[in-house]
Structure formats: structure tokens, C-alpha cells
Amino acid sequence: MSYLGIDIGTSSCKAVVFNADGRPAAPRAVRNYKITSPLPGFAELDPSIVMTCCFEVISEAAKSASEKIAAICVSSQGEAFTPIGTDGKALDNAMVSSDSRSLECMNDFTTVFGSEKLYRITGHTPSTLFSLFKLLWLKQNKPHVFANARKILCFEDLLAFSLGVEPAMGWPLAGRTMLFDIAKHEWSHEILDALDLPSDKLAKVLPSGSVAGQIPDEYASSLGLPKGVKFVTGGHDQTIGALGAGVFEAGDAMYAAGSVECICPVIPELTLTQTLFRNNLCSYDYPLPGLWTTVAYSLTGSNLVDYFRNTLGNGEDYSILTGEMPDFPTSLLTLPYFTPSGTPYFDQKTPACIYGMRMTTSRGELLKGMLEGIALEMKLNLTILEESGIHIERFMATGGGCRNPHLVQLKADVLNRPLMCPSVEESGCRGAALLAQSADENMSVKELSHLRMESGEYITPRTEYAQFYEEKFEKYKHFSLSVRNLFKKN
Amino acid sequence: MSYLGIDIGTSSCKAVVFNADGRPAAPRAVRNYKITSPLPGFAELDPSIVMTCCFEVISEAAKSASEKIAAICVSSQGEAFTPIGTDGKALDNAMVSSDSRSLECMNDFTTVFGSEKLYRITGHTPSTLFSLFKLLWLKQNKPHVFANARKILCFEDLLAFSLGVEPAMGWPLAGRTMLFDIAKHEWSHEILDALDLPSDKLAKVLPSGSVAGQIPDEYASSLGLPKGVKFVTGGHDQTIGALGAGVFEAGDAMYAAGSVECICPVIPELTLTQTLFRNNLCSYDYPLPGLWTTVAYSLTGSNLVDYFRNTLGNGEDYSILTGEMPDFPTSLLTLPYFTPSGTPYFDQKTPACIYGMRMTTSRGELLKGMLEGIALEMKLNLTILEESGIHIERFMATGGGCRNPHLVQLKADVLNRPLMCPSVEESGCRGAALLAQSADENMSVKELSHLRMESGEYITPRTEYAQFYEEKFEKYKHFSLSVRNLFKKN
């Protein structure tokens, strides 16, 4: 048997078939698509294009399968949804995560409903990211679309629906809508009532790794899938990616170093605290039974290396630029808000700030100083998690930024934690395939035999530098606070 | 008749012969020499090398004179001095301005003597720059050199001495020793007593443009100078350079954009205020009768363009890099301490800080943002001068940084003052030659006929940008204060 993992991102979708022993059957199939922005703050995907691309990658991947595909599963971008009309067609484009048009709706709703109450139910703090506020905008600004929608579907369940399966999504994706009661594991009636949205317009919610249904033969055969192939629930991409990177137990976390940097740990119990609440550190389901997670992230990540390369690095090879970085910690201090911040501040206004340059500062030192800033911001997140009893002992590193040893060592030194770089690519597809396999074999993910043979390169923190960064972190906290308050009155 | 101006700097000396109509007779003669630093904080010049170089440039320039040289005059680096033994030879190297070994001596002396009292007498606030503290260090650490010195001479008077003229210096150079009573125009007995230094070991002090003596024939002929050539007092290089740039009247100031940026205005009366005192803005003689000056400076100047070019600009041509700068003001805010600061803070510790970068910030924008920081720091100086009643209406721009129209326009916009770029190079040599001519013709500098025909390019501030920079300046003051206080407690 083999298993198909599909990763539906905001700029592309990918599919990889994995054999039962965990090895990919062939290189990934990929299709790219583009976010459109008809107005400032708007960010949309055409769901029919996304679905067509999904069909294409499934079809391409299916062809490469040497063994029969028993089940498929989706790792899905969060928050975006598509209103579906009675004819089964999309009534509008999907507003993706970065769409921020709902800011006003969000503020109004939160004031009335109460942000602490919202947090207690959903495990999330308000942001224009979340489906709830996007739906509010739709209701207020396109009431006919909102009213005429027979279904409102995220991309995981939209794919199920498009494949003729009753739409269903895993709990980790439901958590990202802010419509989900994360403790009861059902749609929140209180929130749906406030939104005036009947729960039957939404997908079924199931634990990750549940069989949502079988793909009807006519759909399956058109994509080159075998008869009887199961559609298994996956969930929100960060969590599925963490699973695919080998994050199975409390103490472990994914460190995804893509253009955005993201920490996604395993948490042994649902943890809702004032500290997490105040710091925008959400709590929601991990795609393994009885486990929880959060996402701590910085929107400035290895995109900063690209920026540096294009703007100040004369387009040099990455290896040349990162090779110029001094081995030792720099004397620079960088607040890394080259983009809006992620957690803990959700700060859109404060820009980056670089302190400590002198005419002796080299290009490599400047680059390293900037990247230290990102790592220190992530260390700040780590500290806040620790304060709520969420301990991370080691990281499983994924993403392009983890293929460069200079960058990984820097993170290990700053975070004072080992990072394992698993020999896995496409951890999103792999996590989904693991869930598909576990559902098909009726076995927990951790029991899948091939996982016990895994290994990867371990990068450990260097004691003297870790100590230096502990001291630098104290300065960083002070710096961050000062800079963020700099023009508050202006 | 023609007139020889000599400029003795810290890295080179130059000589240019000017005809009576103000035109240079030939290109400048230059010799370079090197500062040595035997220990950290030490910065020394071998005075015999400097004098040999001076002889060489005088000799080379003299050959190019088509008309008889009637007088010579010196624009001299400040503060450095040479102890001369009974045999007429140097007993030690000269400690130049940037030599900072005297920090402890300075603090001890100032505590006992009183910094306000020092300011009232000398018009200067303590810094390791000044000869007083360097001499204290010499006295304490090389007492035999201090005791055995028959003469202690700055470079202007050392050259006179080396040419067989009784050593003499202009008031503007005497002001930089911090041994000079600027109101009485004599060496301060109070300070010399505290230093236990007899005043006859120092040079005669005379107004700039005074005939100190005639160079004896044997010295003159060995350098190719005519018989009877006069040695005329000049003074501190910034002030002589200002004169050479055409700064003659209250309201005018030099804006020297060399590796260091420096403002040197004409002030109609001796102005000593608490504001100037607290902000390290000195007061001393301008080299025209009855006029005064100050120097406001930033040690980060066009050296920052060089740094940027070499480190982040891929060694591109200056015109390419400055051409990439957007025409409009940037949204960046830079505290330009890529070197220790100059006035008003004399801050060695605070490094540069760049606020406001985003991934959309271009290379040209970053460069412009950095240079705006320097201009804003100079605007800060301008404001402090204004508060003490010292008004600057326009600037005469000199230095390499003023040959680039982008850089001059930026200064005009930020400072909200017109800058005139005179068609004069080597303003130090020219200022000295003007003094030589005025002494020889017994005519005030301003009466020299060729000065009335001068012109240059005027760069005026652009109203809308000047307004923007006024607002940005308010932010800059707040930013500067915040950043300078950032780690005060650490």
C-alpha cells in the first residue's frame, strides 16, 4: 500500500506518495497559483484554480505510485474559506490568512463578545487572520453571498467536497477558524449564534487521522486513484508539518524555517493561561490523540536572507553570504520587524531597528546580527511558553533555512536547544501521509514501524555562545520594549 | 606678488601658491604621512617627518610660482604639540587630536580645576582632544621630557621655528590648546600655573594675519623661497578652511563635508553660555579681527559613504550609489554614530542605530536614511547654536562630500538652509594664502579685490522636504535621547 499526502499552501499545492515504509515513491508534484489583491488589505485565492491544481498534483503523484494508494490526507493552509452555493460552485474567492480587511469587524465583534471569552472557547486571540472575522466581513459587506452559501469550507474540507466526500476537517484546522470550541471539540454554538451561522453550513469536525469517507469511484478514476481510496482528515499545515518532521511527544517542537519562522510544539494537555492569552500564543489540537499545540511565529524569517541578498548582498550565493557571518555572536542588536511581527506582539506598526553598527561592522556581521534578532524574538516566545509550563527540549528543524548549517547553528546557540535536521523534505505531505497510513492500518502514528528507524543530523548549542546569548537576550527584551514604545505617543 | 598657503593635516600636508588675483598658480603639492599607534588610545605623528614633508611641499609649490612669493601662512591641525629640546630637536612624537590616552588625567584635572571655570577661560569643554590634557599626561608619564622641553610647539609654530622664525601661532590655534585665555588673548596664567608650565615655553600668540617674522635667507633659499619672505600667522585648520571657503560675516558658516562633517560659523561676539557649555560647543577666535567661531562636528561624515560602498554597496561608483537614493525623504531614522559622536554629546559609547527598515527598503533608501542621520545630528547642533543666539543663514560648502549634488541637496533640505558650493578647492591653503596676502598688502581679508568677484553654485532647500525634515527632526531628538539612554544602566 501507499499513501498520498497533499499540502495546500497559499502559493502552491504539492502532493507526494509515500510507500508504507515511509519513503517517497517519487519527487513531489507541485502547482503554483497566485494570491490576488484587488484592494489594499485584500488577499484572495480563486478556489476553483486551487482545486484544479490539487487535482493535477494528485493525478501526477498517483501516476508515480508503485503500490496501490489506500488513502489520501491533506495538510491545509489555515483560515481561508470558500462560500459554496446550492449549485456546488464557489460564490466568491477565498480570503486567505494575510487578508486584513476584517480589522474593523474584528474590533467591533470582540468588544461585544469579549476577547477573554473568545480565548476561553477557541484558544485564540483576535486577529484578522481568523475565519470568524473574515466571515463577519462577508456577512456585513456581501450579505447575499453569506446568506446564499450552502456550505462554508476551508481548503481541507473543500477538497473532500470537491472529491465527492462529505466535507470534513481535522480538529487542528477547525481550531484556526475561531469558530471551534477546542475543549468540547465541536463548533461553538455561542460563536455561531453571534455570527448567525447554522453549524450545518460548516464541515464535520473529526480528529486528525479519521476516515472521512471513501472517494466515489468516478472521482477517483478521473484522477488515477484506485477504487475505495479513503479520505482521511489532516489539519492545519503547521501542525501536520510538525508531525511530518517527527514531532510526536511533549518536549519536542517543530522549528520551521521557511520564509516565515514558526515553532509548533507538542503540549501534553490543553493549556489556557493569562500569559499565553496576553501574548497571542494560541492553543489548539495537535494532530495526535490527546495532544495539543500552539504556534509561535515570526513573519520575518529566511525571507530576510533573501532581502539581504537582493538589497545589500549584491545577489551573492547564499553560501557566500552566510559564510561571511562571524562564528561568534555579534555586538549588534536587531529588532527583526522587517515585516509585521508575529507572536507575541502582533505588532504591525513597529519596524525593524538595528542597534550597534560601527564602521567596523562587516557585511557578514550585519547579516548575522539581523538573523540573531529573529532567533532572539523566537527565544522570547520560548520564554513565554516556559512561563505557562510548556517546555521545549529540542527542535525538529524543517524548511529551507534549515539546510544551511550556519543558520541552524545560530538558532541552536541563541535558543540554547539542540536542533535536529531530519532527512525529510516535504514534511507537510509526509505528515498527511502518516495520518493516512495510520488511519488505513488502524494504528497510531507513533506505532508506524518506519518511524523508529529515523535519524538526522543533530546540531547542539555551543555552551560559551549560548551563555553569551542568554545575556544578550536580557538586553534584547529591554531593547524590544524600548523600541516598541518609541513613538507610541506620536 | 604671490602667496603660499600651507595646510598641515593629520595625514598629509599640502601647499598651494596663489597669485594676487586669488587664482592658484599650479596644482597643490602634497605629501602623505602616517599616524602611528604604539598602544591602544595612542595616536602619534613623528614631527621631523611632518616638517620634512612641509619643506618638500613648500619647495615644490615655490617652483611653480610665476610671481614672487611675498608671504607664507599655515592652516594647522589642532591640538597636537611637539616638545623641543635645548638642541632644537624634538624630544618626543606629537600626540595628535585622536590620541585619547589622557582621559584619566583629564578627569582628575577637571575635577580639581573645575570644568565651568575651564570653560570660562578657554571657551572649551574638556576632551582628550586638547593639548592641556595631553601635556598633563606627558608631565605625569614622561616627566623628563616635560621638564627638559625648551619649547612646546603646535604645528603652525613648529613650522615657523623650523624655518628660523621665532615660533608664533594665530589665536584660533591657541584656542585649541585649552591653555589660552580667549577673552584676554594671552596664555592663561591660571592654567599654566596648574600645569606648572612657564609661558615662555609656548609660542607667541598673535591675531591671525600678523607678520610673525621674516624667514632668514638661508632657510628661504634652501626651499626656493625669495629673500625677505614673511611668515604670517594663520591658525586652526577648520577656521582657516572656513575663511578660504568665503566665510567672512556673521550669518555665514562653513559646512565642511570631509570624512568628518564640520560646521564653522562666524559669530559677531564672544558667546559663552550654559547651553553651549553643556553641549560641548566651544567658542574661540575666528581668523578675522573681532570675530569668533565654534566648531560643531560629527565624526561620521562622508566616511560613511565609503563604509557603505565597501561593505554593502559592492564597491559601486559613488555616483551609482548616491543616484539610487530616492529624491524624497525616507521613513528611516538613523542615529549616525558609526564612529564616536562629535558635538553636542562627545559620546564614545553609543553606536549607530537604524530604525524603520522593512523588506521594502532599498539600498539607496538605506544609504539616504543613514546620511539623513548625519544631517539631523548637524541640525541638532544648529538648533543649540540658535538657542545661544548664534544664527546661521547660509553655508559655504567645502570638502569632497560637497562635490555630489545629491549629498548637498540632502543637507540643504534637512538643515533648511542654502548651501553655496564655492568653486574653490583646497580651502585650507587658500584661507592661509588670503591671510598672507592681507598681511603683506596691509589690507583686511574682506578688502582683497578678487573676493568680490567670487561665485559658486547655490543649492537651496526644497520647501516641502524641509517641512518634512522639521517634523522628522522632532522624532530624531526623541529617538536620539531614547537610544542614548538605552543601556545607561547596564
Side-chain angles (χ1 to χ4, degrees), chain A residues 303 307 311-312 314 337-340 348-349 351-359 361 363 478-479 482 486, chain B residues 303 307 311-312 314 333 337-340 348-349 351-359 361 363 478-479 482 486:
Chain A
N303 50 8
Y307 166 73
T311 308
L312 305 172
N314 191 36
Y337 300 157
F338 291 86
T339 61
Q348 311 253 346
K349 287 186 184 164
C353 188
I354 305 169
Y355 173 89
M357 281 183 83
R358 292 286 199 182
M359 281 193 197
T361 306
R363 182 168 75 172
H478 176 57
F479 180 59
S482 305
L486 203 52
Chain B
N303 50 7
Y307 165 73
T311 308
L312 304 172
N314 191 36
L333 212 46
Y337 300 157
F338 292 87
T339 60
Q348 311 253 344
K349 287 186 185 164
C353 189
I354 305 169
Y355 173 89
M357 281 182 84
R358 292 286 199 182
M359 282 193 196
T361 306
R363 181 166 75 172
H478 176 57
F479 180 59
S482 305
L486 202 53

Side-chain angles (χ1 to χ4, degrees), chain A residues 41-366:
Chain A
F42 284 40
E44 302 181 354
L45 279 174
D46 180 333
S48 65
I49 292 176
V50 177
M51 286 302 110
T52 302
C53 290
C54 286
F55 295 160
E56 288 178 14
V57 294
I58 291 170
S59 180
E60 183 180 324
K63 278 187 203 145
S64 67
S66 50
E67 297 174 42
K68 186 187 166 198
I69 295 173
I72 76 170
C73 176
V74 176
S75 165
S76 172
Q77 61 173 291
E79 300 102 21
F81 62 85
T82 303
I84 302 289
T86 46
D87 59 355
K89 293 197 174 133
L91 295 174
D92 205 349
N93 281 343
M95 297 181 214
V96 303
S97 311
S98 59
D99 189 300
S100 61
R101 74 183 84 167
S102 63
L103 186 63
E104 209 176 315
C105 304
M106 175 184 100
N107 290 333
D108 293 348
F109 183 89
T110 306
T111 306
V112 174
F113 197 90
S115 62
E116 288 212 42
K117 184 171 158 193
L118 258 178
Y119 175 67
R120 262 186 287 114
I121 297 171
T122 69
H124 287 74
T125 47
S127 157
T128 57
L129 277 177
F130 300 117
S131 321
L132 165 56
F133 308 115
K134 294 183 192 301
L135 283 168
L136 269 169
W137 185 92
L138 191 70
K139 188 183 169 201
Q140 289 174 19
N141 293 278
K142 294 185 173 180
H144 55 291
V145 173
F146 187 82
N148 294 336
R150 177 163 68 95
K151 289 283 181 190
I152 286 177
L153 302 176
C154 294
F155 277 114
E156 181 186 358
D157 36 323
L158 178 62
L159 183 61
F161 177 78
S162 304
L163 291 174
V165 176
E166 187 192 344
M169 71 170 86
W171 290 345
L173 186 59
R176 298 299 288 181
T177 61
M178 265 189 107
L179 305 169
F180 190 59
D181 187 320
I182 55 163
K184 295 184 183 161
H185 290 119
E186 60 186 32
W187 295 117
S188 163
H189 295 298
E190 220 168 344
I191 296 173
L192 292 192
D193 287 352
L195 186 59
D196 202 15
L197 180 70
S199 65
D200 61 7
K201 290 196 178 185
L202 301 174
K204 273 193 301 186
V205 281
L206 294 170
S208 298
S210 307
V211 177
Q214 284 193 358
I215 299 176
D217 292 350
E218 66 274 26
Y219 288 89
S221 67
S222 74
L223 296 175
L225 291 171
K227 283 188 182 180
V229 61
K230 295 165 188 152
F231 191 99
V232 172
T233 49
H236 185 220
D237 52 11
Q238 297 292 0
T239 69
I240 306 298
L243 194 69
V247 174
F248 303 130
E249 302 182 324
D252 284 353
M254 171 180 71
Y255 196 115
S259 60
V260 164
E261 306 230 328
C262 178
I263 289 176
C264 186
V266 165
I267 305 173
E269 57 200 7
L270 175 55
T271 309
L272 296 172
T273 70
Q274 276 296 316
T275 303
L276 296 177
F277 171 59
R278 278 199 312 272
N279 289 290
N280 297 303
L281 285 160
C282 62
S283 294
Y284 65 122
D285 285 282
Y286 194 72
L288 290 180
L291 295 176
W292 300 83
T293 194
T294 187
V295 278
Y297 63 92
S298 161
L299 295 177
T300 299
S302 27
N303 50 8
L304 183 60
V305 185
D306 294 344
Y307 166 73
F308 189 90
R309 176 175 182 255
N310 297 333
T311 308
L312 305 172
N314 191 36
E316 302 275 17
D317 276 0
Y318 292 109
S319 58
I320 290 179
L321 292 174
T322 58
E324 284 177 5
M325 299 195 316
D327 192 44
F328 46 84
T330 77
S331 56
L332 302 173
L333 212 46
T334 304
L335 195 68
Y337 300 157
F338 291 86
T339 61
S341 96
T343 58
Y345 299 125
F346 284 0
D347 182 344
Q348 311 253 346
K349 287 186 184 164
T350 308
C353 188
I354 305 169
Y355 173 89
M357 281 183 83
R358 292 286 199 182
M359 281 193 197
T360 47
T361 306
S362 69
R363 182 168 75 172
E365 207 175 343
L366 179 59

Side-chain angles (χ1 to χ4, degrees), chain B residues 19-219:
Chain B
N19 294 324
D21 62 1
R23 284 179 299 108
R28 64 182 191 180
V30 192
R31 293 294 179 282
N32 296 309
Y33 34 78
K34 276 215 162 77
I35 289 175
T36 56
S37 182
L39 286 170
F42 284 40
E44 301 180 354
L45 279 174
D46 180 334
S48 65
I49 293 175
V50 176
M51 285 302 110
T52 302
C53 289
C54 285
F55 295 160
E56 288 178 15
V57 293
I58 291 171
S59 181
E60 183 181 324
K63 276 186 203 147
S64 68
S66 52
E67 297 174 41
K68 186 186 166 196
I69 295 174
I72 77 170
C73 177
V74 176
S75 164
S76 173
Q77 61 173 290
E79 300 101 25
F81 62 85
T82 302
I84 302 290
T86 46
D87 61 355
K89 292 194 174 139
L91 296 173
D92 205 349
N93 279 343
M95 297 181 216
V96 303
S97 311
S98 58
D99 189 300
S100 61
R101 75 183 83 167
S102 62
L103 186 62
E104 209 176 314
C105 304
M106 177 185 99
N107 290 334
D108 294 348
F109 182 89
T110 305
T111 306
V112 174
F113 196 92
S115 62
E116 288 213 41
K117 184 171 157 192
L118 259 177
Y119 174 68
R120 263 185 287 115
I121 297 172
T122 69
H124 287 74
T125 47
S127 157
T128 57
L129 277 176
F130 299 116
S131 321
L132 165 57
F133 307 113
K134 295 182 192 302
L135 282 168
L136 269 169
W137 185 92
L138 190 70
K139 188 184 170 202
Q140 288 173 20
N141 293 277
K142 294 187 173 179
H144 55 289
V145 173
F146 187 81
N148 293 335
R150 179 164 68 97
K151 287 283 181 190
I152 286 177
L153 302 176
C154 294
F155 277 114
E156 180 186 359
D157 35 324
L158 177 63
L159 182 60
F161 177 77
S162 305
L163 291 175
V165 176
E166 186 192 344
M169 72 170 85
W171 289 345
L173 186 59
R176 299 298 289 180
T177 61
M178 266 189 107
L179 305 168
F180 189 60
D181 187 319
I182 54 163
K184 294 182 183 163
H185 289 119
E186 60 188 28
W187 295 115
S188 163
H189 295 297
E190 222 170 340
I191 296 173
L192 291 191
D193 287 351
L195 185 59
D196 201 15
L197 180 71
S199 65
D200 62 5
K201 290 196 175 184
L202 300 175
K204 272 192 304 186
V205 282
L206 293 171
S208 299
S210 307
V211 177
Q214 285 193 359
I215 299 176
D217 292 351
E218 66 274 24
Y219 289 88

Side-chain angles (χ1 to χ4, degrees), chain B residues 290-330:
Chain B
L291 295 177
W292 299 84
T293 193
T294 186
V295 277
Y297 62 93
S298 161
L299 295 177
T300 299
S302 28
N303 50 7
L304 183 60
V305 185
D306 293 344
Y307 165 73
F308 189 90
R309 176 175 182 253
N310 296 332
T311 308
L312 304 172
N314 191 36
E316 302 275 17
D317 276 1
Y318 292 109
S319 59
I320 291 179
L321 293 173
T322 58
E324 283 177 5
M325 299 193 320
D327 192 44
F328 45 85
T330 77

